[in-house]
Amino acid sequence: MDKLVLLLLLLLGVFPFMFFQDPATLCMVCHNFKQGHCLRGKGNCTMKQGPGCRTRDFFVFNEKDGWKHNYTELDCSEYCSPMSFHYGGMKISIFCCKGQEFCNRYQGKLIKYNLT
Ligand SMILES: *[C@@H]1O[C@H](CO)[C@@H](O)[C@H](O)[C@H]1NC(C)=O
Ligand SMILES: *[C@@H]1O[C@H](CO)[C@@H](O)[C@H](O)[C@H]1NC(C)=O
């Protein structure tokens, strides 16, 4: 067989795998995640596409300390988009991640960033 045809057949055989390769990400689910531990509602979920696993940090405001981290919630959301907003005396910071198993447990409060 012609070498070129052989190459073409090889590419046709390989390409479909490359397109369907986008790996699903296993995310951690936790209703109340504090200091690296899940206190309540532990589980897992899978994101096949989209922005990936979601991490939501909840902060509460008090006069003495300003914004203080209260707890973190981990889950899957097709509409995850990174943002930060106030809601009365509460502040919520959202992070999204994918490509690494349980990556959402390493996002958010555990990563040092300035909260202003
Ligand atoms: C994901 O959760 C299921 C039950 O909800 C459990 O059987 C499975 O072991 C979990 N997988 C991992 C990797 O923790
Ligand atoms: C912090 O979160 C817990 C739930 O995990 C809630 O019961 C508590 O009221 C919150 N603390 C403040 C100061 O809002």
Side-chain angles (χ1 to χ4, degrees), residues 34-76:
K34 268 182 175 170
Q35 275 133 26
H37 299 283
C38 185
L39 306 178
R40 194 166 56 85
K42 190 172 182 177
N44 62 63
C45 56
T46 306
M47 287 302 290
K48 291 205 176 65
Q49 55 194 18
C53 315
R54 181 167 67 172
T55 304
R56 280 181 298 173
D57 287 337
F58 292 83
F59 301 87
V60 286
F61 188 82
N62 74 51
E63 296 291 332
K64 203 166 116 253
D65 310 304
W67 291 105
K68 282 202 75 177
H69 178 249
N70 186 11
Y71 69 102
T72 296
E73 201 169 327
L74 310 175
D75 61 10
C76 285

Side-chain angles (χ1 to χ4, degrees), residues 26 43-44 101-102:
L26 189 66
N44 62 63
E101 212 163 88
F102 294 142

Side-chain angles (χ1 to χ4, degrees), residues 3-44:
K3 274 213 176 81
L4 204 69
V5 175
L6 205 66
L7 190 71
L8 203 70
L9 285 175
L10 201 70
L11 287 177
L12 285 174
V14 168
F15 267 120
F17 291 103
M18 295 178 76
F19 284 120
F20 293 104
Q21 209 183 25
D22 194 19
T25 302
L26 189 66
C27 312
M28 183 171 281
V29 173
C30 182
H31 295 315
N32 191 341
F33 191 79
K34 268 182 175 170
Q35 275 133 26
H37 299 283
C38 185
L39 306 178
R40 194 166 56 85
K42 190 172 182 177
N44 62 63

Side-chain angles (χ1 to χ4, degrees), residues 56-109:
R56 280 181 298 173
D57 287 337
F58 292 83
F59 301 87
V60 286
F61 188 82
N62 74 51
E63 296 291 332
K64 203 166 116 253
D65 310 304
W67 291 105
K68 282 202 75 177
H69 178 249
N70 186 11
Y71 69 102
T72 296
E73 201 169 327
L74 310 175
D75 61 10
C76 285
S77 171
E78 302 209 11
Y79 306 106
C80 186
S81 58
M83 65 171 91
S84 196
F85 57 92
H86 297 249
Y87 185 79
M90 185 174 264
K91 182 174 175 140
I92 304 171
S93 292
I94 303 176
F95 303 86
C96 317
C97 68
K98 62 180 165 186
Q100 194 199 341
E101 212 163 88
F102 294 142
C103 61
N104 57 339
R105 68 170 296 169
Y106 306 113
Q107 302 289 306
K109 188 57 175 59

